């Protein structure tokens, strides 16, 4: 059986991963988890999300198939007990995949991928659930069925790329209070191989613990189960109530689609190629905006203030530079997660030099004149300029990284 869960939390508390962790404990008596529970991040641009648009799937091999009904009841009872039903935007969904056919696998693989890259309707999830007779339970407006089915779909068909996250949870009596974590131990944990985003070295910040009132104490992300477990063994903190290792699509760039600028839609995420067509400018709030074009269409790209020193790279771009940008599109602007500068333009048309100074334009289309000696010139000259950046890949710092974004360490 694969149990899919989503949308049980609100900004004021809870977290669907915690519900899954409690459930895993309860289900031990009924069977064995097959592989790892899945923590799936869906489209990061969905307006209904509470925080990181997470959905969960628990694949379990039941000891006795006759107990499937009991297991389904335990799951639904726990959701009813723990979900934040009073929050307007909390619409829990639970699905149970028990028998999967080839057609169902094909349809679910497509649905799950679209839940990460596209915007779905609740009716699309309901249609698949009824077509394949999948047991499920949707609460309130049933929106959670989208995420629950998508997560279960990935557990059934497999993730094309994955990483791991070990999440440690807090004792209930401490929820909502400041987290007690020994900072030095976190820096030691962060130094362990094949883990990332525990700290932000450049901004000297610990980034593996949230500040919200939810049950999560911290999360350690990494390449393998052994890597995250090893880093975990270094962390000294308040008591950990329980911890779970999830297999996840975090840090895989699964949300990004290669596209042409003219095909871009809002609320989706892309990899786009183009030339810088308008110089970067810093706007109020410290955000840096520039434009790229590919001859057919153009799009504004933004490095927002929280991306800190990444903006320094972006400010160095000039029209003519060839780039590949990675990020989500919102209100027609691509919110940069990474950039690959493919080539830099070292040429600039400038007014000719004379008597140690630049000539002045006489008027539109009328050439240039030296203010000192009166010499004239018809055209600007092509000069080679110095650039303060190099070609290559640049990314936002860990403190500004989205869950799905693949860090450059994973490209090596
Ligand atoms: P947290 O990260 O704290 O667990 P969350 O950010 O995961 O919270 P949810 O409470 O799960 O947010 O709310 C997201 C809602 O959006 C869910 O109901 C989910 O089914 C739905 N959803 C997820 N992906 C899509 C999508 N691609 N299209 C439409 N709806 C989606």
């Amino acid at each position: 059986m694969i149990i899919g869960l989503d949308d049980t939390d609100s900004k004021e508390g809870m977290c669907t991963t915690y519900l899954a962790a409690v459930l895993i404990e309860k289900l031990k008596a009924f069977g064995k988890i097959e592989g790892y529970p899945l923590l799936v991040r869906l489209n990061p641009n969905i307006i209904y999300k509470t925080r990181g648009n997470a959905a969960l799937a628990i694949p379990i091999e039941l000891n006795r198939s006759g107990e499937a009904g009991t297991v389904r009841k335990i799951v639904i009872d726990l959701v009813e007990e723990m979900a934040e039903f009073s929050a307007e935007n909390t619409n829990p969904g639970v699905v149970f995949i028990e028998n999967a056919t080839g057609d169902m696998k094909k349809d679910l693989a497509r649905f799950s991928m679209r839940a990460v890259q596209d915007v779905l309707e609740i009716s699309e999830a309901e249609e698949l659930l009824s077509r394949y007779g999948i047991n499920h339970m949707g609460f309130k407006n049933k929106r959670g069925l989208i995420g629950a089915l998508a997560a279960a779909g990935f557990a059934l068909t497999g993730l094309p790329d994955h990483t791991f996250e070990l999440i440690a949870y807090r004792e209930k009596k401490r929820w909502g209070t400041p987290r007690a974590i020994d900072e030095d131990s976190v820096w030691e944990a962060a130094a362990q191989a094949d883990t990332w985003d525990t700290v932000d070295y450049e901004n000297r910040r610990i980034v593996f613990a949230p500040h919200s009132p939810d049950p999560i104490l911290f999360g350690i992300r990494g390449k393998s189960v052994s890597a995250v477990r090893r880093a975990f063994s270094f962390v000294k903190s308040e008591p950990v109530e329980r911890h779970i290792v999830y297999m996840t699509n975090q840090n895989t760039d699964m949300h990004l689609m290669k596209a042409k600028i003219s095909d871009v839609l809002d609320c989706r995420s892309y990899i786009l190629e183009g030339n810088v067509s308008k110089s970067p400018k810093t706007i109020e709030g410290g955000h840096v905006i520039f434009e790229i074009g590919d001859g057919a269409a153009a799009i504004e790209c933004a490095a927002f203030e929280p991306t800190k020193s990444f903006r320094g790279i972006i400010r160095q771009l000039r029209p003519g530079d060839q780039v590949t940008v990675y990020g989500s599109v919102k209100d027609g602007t691509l919110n940069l997660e990474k950039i690959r500068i493919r080539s830099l333009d070292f040429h600039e048309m400038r007014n000719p030099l004379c008597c140690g100074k630049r000539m002045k334009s006489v008027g539109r289309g009328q050439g240039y004149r030296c203010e000192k000696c009166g010499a004239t010139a018809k055209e600007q000259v092509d000069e080679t300029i110095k650039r303060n950046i190099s070609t290559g890949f640049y990314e936002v710092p860990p403190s500004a990284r989205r869950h799905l974004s693949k860090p450059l360490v994973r490209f090596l």
Side-chain angles (χ1 to χ4, degrees):
M1 177 189 278
I2 296 169
I3 303 162
L5 296 168
D6 197 15
D7 208 345
T8 65
D9 51 358
S10 74
K11 285 207 166 66
E12 283 69 50
M14 258 307 288
C15 161
T16 308
T17 74
Y18 183 68
L19 197 149
V22 173
L23 189 57
I24 287 167
E25 185 73 40
K26 280 190 190 291
L27 294 181
K28 274 188 183 151
F30 296 89
K32 199 172 149 287
I33 302 290
E34 280 184 283
Y36 292 89
L38 238 57
L39 163 56
V40 178
R41 297 288 176 175
L42 304 172
N43 186 339
N45 309 299
I46 293 299
I47 52 168
Y48 312 104
K49 70 176 186 175
T50 310
R51 284 178 287 264
N53 205 1
L56 278 294
I58 305 168
I60 177 165
E61 196 182 335
L62 298 181
N63 297 335
R64 281 176 290 276
S65 58
E67 283 180 339
T70 315
V71 167
R72 287 198 297 269
K73 185 168 180 328
I74 289 174
V75 178
I76 290 166
D77 285 352
L78 193 71
V79 170
E80 284 181 339
E81 180 193 324
M82 290 179 70
E84 297 260 327
F85 282 96
S86 56
E88 193 198 329
N89 242 345
T90 300
N91 299 290
V94 186
V95 309
F96 304 93
I97 295 181
E98 285 156 87
N99 301 298
T101 61
D103 279 354
M104 175 176 162
K105 280 190 180 169
K106 239 173 45 207
D107 283 347
L108 280 188
R110 201 169 156 265
F111 177 86
S112 299
M113 203 54 159
R114 284 184 59 219
V116 178
Q117 298 184 333
D118 206 350
V119 181
L120 297 170
E121 299 294 333
I122 302 169
S123 58
E124 295 180 69
E126 288 181 310
E127 200 278 316
L128 278 181
L129 290 165
S130 98
R131 187 188 312 167
Y132 292 111
I134 300 171
N135 274 312
H136 63 277
M137 183 75 168
F139 298 86
K140 294 167 69 184
N141 79 10
K142 305 184 182 176
R143 182 173 304 282
L145 287 175
I146 297 175
L149 185 59
F154 279 123
L156 181 68
T157 60
L159 287 170
D161 181 18
H162 67 264
T163 63
F164 291 90
E165 177 163 5
L166 184 153
I167 302 187
Y169 297 96
R170 317 185 68 189
E171 292 177 324
K172 194 161 186 182
K173 64 178 185 201
R174 293 177 196 262
W175 295 5
T177 66
R179 290 162 172 81
I181 303 173
D182 177 80
E183 290 207 4
D184 291 343
S185 74
V186 180
W187 289 91
E188 254 183 276
Q192 302 312 308
D194 294 331
T195 61
W196 52 81
D197 291 0
T198 300
V199 299
D200 183 337
Y201 286 99
E202 195 186 315
N203 296 302
R204 299 300 301 164
R205 274 180 59 191
I206 288 173
V207 294
F208 83 151
H211 297 283
S212 42
D214 61 74
I216 294 184
L217 181 56
F218 56 79
I220 297 175
R221 296 174 178 199
K223 184 175 165 180
S224 62
V225 178
S226 56
V228 295
R229 283 200 187 283
R230 182 171 160 73
F232 177 58
S233 70
F234 284 83
V235 182
K236 298 193 185 95
S237 70
E238 65 182 53
V240 171
E241 188 226 28
R242 71 185 76 219
H243 71 272
I244 298 267
V245 176
Y246 296 99
M247 184 186 270
T248 172
N249 65 344
Q250 287 170 173
N251 305 125
T252 64
D253 274 355
M254 193 194 247
H255 59 317
L256 301 176
M257 299 179 281
K258 280 198 178 135
K260 289 208 183 82
I261 299 174
S262 55
D263 293 335
V264 160
L265 296 173
D266 249 16
C267 295
R268 277 80 172 171
S269 311
Y270 295 100
I271 301 175
L272 303 174
E273 286 192 358
N275 287 356
V276 175
S277 46
K278 278 191 193 153
S279 299
K281 60 173 194 279
T282 304
I283 60 164
E284 206 185 321
H287 316 304
V288 182
I289 313 283
F290 67 102
E291 188 191 83
I292 65 163
D294 60 7
I299 188 166
E300 199 171 67
C301 302
F304 289 105
E305 191 282 330
T307 65
K308 303 292 175 199
S309 66
F310 178 69
R311 295 169 304 161
I313 303 293
I314 300 304
R315 284 193 190 99
Q316 297 294 329
L317 292 171
R318 298 177 60 95
D321 291 344
Q322 294 183 344
V323 295
T324 307
V325 294
Y326 299 70
S328 295
V329 176
K330 195 176 165 218
D331 302 327
T333 297
L334 183 130
N335 177 352
L336 283 171
E337 295 169 15
K338 280 191 284 280
I339 188 166
R340 192 155 82 82
I341 303 175
R342 301 197 316 276
S343 79
L344 290 166
D345 190 346
F346 287 91
H347 295 274
E348 189 175 56
M349 298 305 289
R350 300 197 67 184
N351 295 359
L353 264 178
C354 190
C355 301
K357 285 180 82 176
R358 296 274 164 199
M359 288 183 171
K360 285 266 153 40
S361 166
V362 180
R364 212 186 157 88
Q366 295 175 49
Y368 302 87
R369 183 186 295 123
C370 172
E371 281 186 319
K372 217 166 174 187
C373 75
T376 58
K378 281 207 178 80
E379 284 170 354
Q380 284 192 317
V381 286
D382 187 347
E383 286 186 10
T384 302
I385 50 166
K386 193 172 165 292
R387 302 293 305 266
N388 295 324
I389 38 168
S390 332
T391 54
F393 236 140
Y394 298 90
E395 65 182 345
V396 304
S399 54
R401 187 159 8 251
R402 301 185 101 174
H403 297 295
L404 275 162
S405 273
K406 182 164 157 177
L408 295 188
V409 289
R410 286 207 70 225
F411 282 80
L412 301 175

